[in-house]
Amino acid sequence: MSKAIKQNLADSKKMSAELFCLTYGAMVTEMLKDYEDPKDVTIQLDKMGFNMGTRLADDFLAKNANVPRCVDTRQIADVLCRNAIPCYLGISATASSWTSGDREFTITLEANPLTELVQVPAHLVSAGLSYSQLIAGAIRGALEAVHFKVYASATDTGANTEIRIRFDQVLKDSLPAGEDD
Amino acid sequence: EKFGTIIDNLNGPADIEKYESLVQKAFLHANAETKLESIGFRVGRQLVEKVSKESPKLVTELEIVKFICKDFWSSVFGKQVDNLRTNHQGVYVVQDGRFTTLRSFPEGDQYVKESGYFLAFPCGLLRGALAGLNIRAIVTPTIESVPSVKFHIQVQPK
């Protein structure tokens, strides 16, 4: 979602980054009015992201046929940073701060398009609003769709957005019947 | 249900004032379309400032509407409008034969009614953009067949 896309907006399925960013901002503002507690807004954003993520996982696999089967968290992080995030957000991401035996890591988004034209008031952040939780939710949803249970939370640190991901378990029971591997 | 008991307990205008915020809230929450429209309005007003930053000064009403149809439309929806008509008395009809919001919907007239909900936001967006350029207007959509939309812009006297 950069400037170069402007010319072929009409024929591609992409949308104007500014419109997207402002719309998201207006939506969060409206949710803050609705829920009163910023923590609830974060929860809702996470849920919305989750629902988007479960659908995006299918779309992602359809578009990227050569993504390998992930066997460890390093590989998950690699696919997220190299394929998924650039594909849907148009930005690069890096994974770092590996802890607790590779079970936890942080994805850093440079120039998060959601926060491009936005300043989140400090008192809302301290009250528990995580503005970019939608992205964290989407990652959680997408990984759950491919049977990885993770916990994800987003924090905005100035220009960057950090998404902390904690791997929980591989979901075995939720495999549809006849699709065991 | 709660409103029933509140109304029963009302005695005098002083009490109405007490619940005024509640009443306002009820009206705000009543309609998702109204809400989407107001979100759109907010976005439109901010977006138009970004888009019109480097454009020459827009003087007449027609110039402003033309700007909305060309520059604003193409930067927000990715294309220009297909047709703009006016009666020169404050009514404009903007037609977009492949409207961005509805482009991924199944074509034809089967889902015209459902598509209407998705146009509340773009309508607010247009109203906000016009408001940002100092035109108060009412914007209403008409769909005859997805994804073709006609927006009726009715300019309010200042």
Side-chain angles (χ1 to χ4, degrees):
Chain A
M1 280 184 291
S2 63
K3 291 117 224 162
I5 287 155
K6 228 176 189 179
Q7 302 95 302
N8 53 15
L9 265 178
D11 40 77
S12 73
K13 280 176 183 158
K14 286 165 179 149
M15 78 183 276
S16 154
E18 282 177 356
L19 173 66
F20 173 64
C21 172
L22 288 176
T23 308
Y24 183 72
M27 186 195 73
V28 175
T29 315
E30 205 66 26
M31 284 168 79
L32 282 165
K33 278 188 208 154
D34 274 6
Y35 285 100
E36 287 165 8
D37 187 357
K39 278 197 198 91
D40 292 340
V41 176
T42 307
I43 294 168
Q44 287 304 319
L45 288 175
D46 188 68
K47 267 190 204 162
M48 289 164 64
F50 181 84
N51 290 332
M52 287 162 78
T54 46
R55 287 162 178 78
L56 279 178
D58 280 338
D59 185 63
F60 175 72
L61 290 175
K63 275 184 193 159
N64 301 272
N66 50 358
V67 167
R69 177 174 282 264
C70 295
V71 290
D72 61 14
T73 45
R74 294 240 171 210
Q75 243 178 322
I76 296 176
D78 199 47
V79 171
L80 278 176
C81 292
R82 276 222 221 131
N83 302 79
I85 291 169
C87 175
Y88 291 107
L89 292 171
I91 50 165
S92 61
T94 44
S96 58
S97 329
W98 294 84
T99 47
S100 48
D102 279 4
R103 282 187 160 248
E104 274 187 68
F105 57 97
T106 303
I107 288 181
T108 312
L109 306 177
E110 288 138 43
N112 180 359
L114 288 184
T115 56
E116 213 168 291
L117 306 168
V118 177
Q119 248 186 340
V120 185
H123 71 272
L124 287 176
V125 176
S126 54
L129 175 72
S130 159
Y131 187 79
S132 304
Q133 187 65 29
L134 190 89
I135 299 178
I139 292 176
R140 186 171 69 91
L143 289 178
E144 185 137 331
V146 289
H147 303 130
F148 291 116
K149 182 152 179 61
V150 298
Y151 296 100
S153 61
T155 14
D156 296 307
T157 53
N160 295 348
T161 298
E162 284 177 0
I163 298 169
R164 188 82 185 144
I165 295 174
R166 184 157 60 84
F167 176 78
D168 187 44
Q169 54 171 320
V170 176
L171 297 169
K172 283 251 161 71
D173 300 332
S174 61
L175 279 175
E179 277 191 39
D180 299 327
D181 51 353
Chain B
E1 311 126 44
K2 231 175 139 187
F3 280 106
T5 52
I6 288 174
I7 288 167
D8 287 344
N9 295 333
L10 276 185
N11 36 23
D15 283 3
I16 295 180
E17 267 175 31
K18 209 164 75 188
Y19 292 112
E20 202 180 58
S21 66
L22 203 65
V23 172
Q24 272 179 355
K25 232 177 190 172
F27 276 106
L28 272 175
H29 280 259
N31 194 336
E33 270 179 291
T34 322
K35 202 152 202 183
L36 281 171
E37 218 262 359
S38 70
I39 295 180
F41 182 82
R42 209 188 131 102
V43 174
R45 215 176 42 190
Q46 287 167 329
L47 211 53
V48 81
E49 286 194 8
K50 285 194 95 58
V51 178
S52 67
K53 201 166 54 185
E54 268 145 41
S55 70
K57 196 176 175 190
L58 302 159
V59 186
T60 63
E61 196 178 282
L62 188 64
E63 267 176 24
I64 295 175
V65 177
K66 270 189 181 166
F67 170 81
I68 297 282
C69 292
K70 283 185 181 163
D71 302 50
F72 183 74
W73 216 279
S74 60
S75 74
V76 175
F77 302 126
K79 66 190 280 289
Q80 292 188 4
V81 299
D82 295 320
N83 197 345
L84 168 67
R85 273 177 295 163
T86 174
N87 68 352
H88 295 289
Q89 276 157 16
V91 178
Y92 298 85
V93 179
V94 180
Q95 196 186 352
D96 190 332
R98 260 175 70 244
F99 192 60
T100 315
T101 318
L102 306 181
R103 209 189 298 138
S104 49
F105 289 13
E107 289 182 20
D109 48 15
Q110 192 185 354
Y111 295 108
V112 165
K113 203 171 156 228
E114 286 83 350
S115 304
Y117 300 118
F118 291 85
L119 291 175
F121 179 80
C123 274
L125 203 69
L126 290 179
R127 197 167 67 86
L130 287 165
L133 297 171
N134 202 21
I135 290 185
R136 287 207 306 140
I138 299 174
V139 182
T140 42
T142 349
I143 320 167
E144 271 151 29
S145 154
V146 179
S148 171
V149 188
K150 271 186 190 153
F151 290 98
H152 297 255
I153 301 171
Q154 199 165 3
V155 178
Q156 303 294 100
K158 277 174 190 157

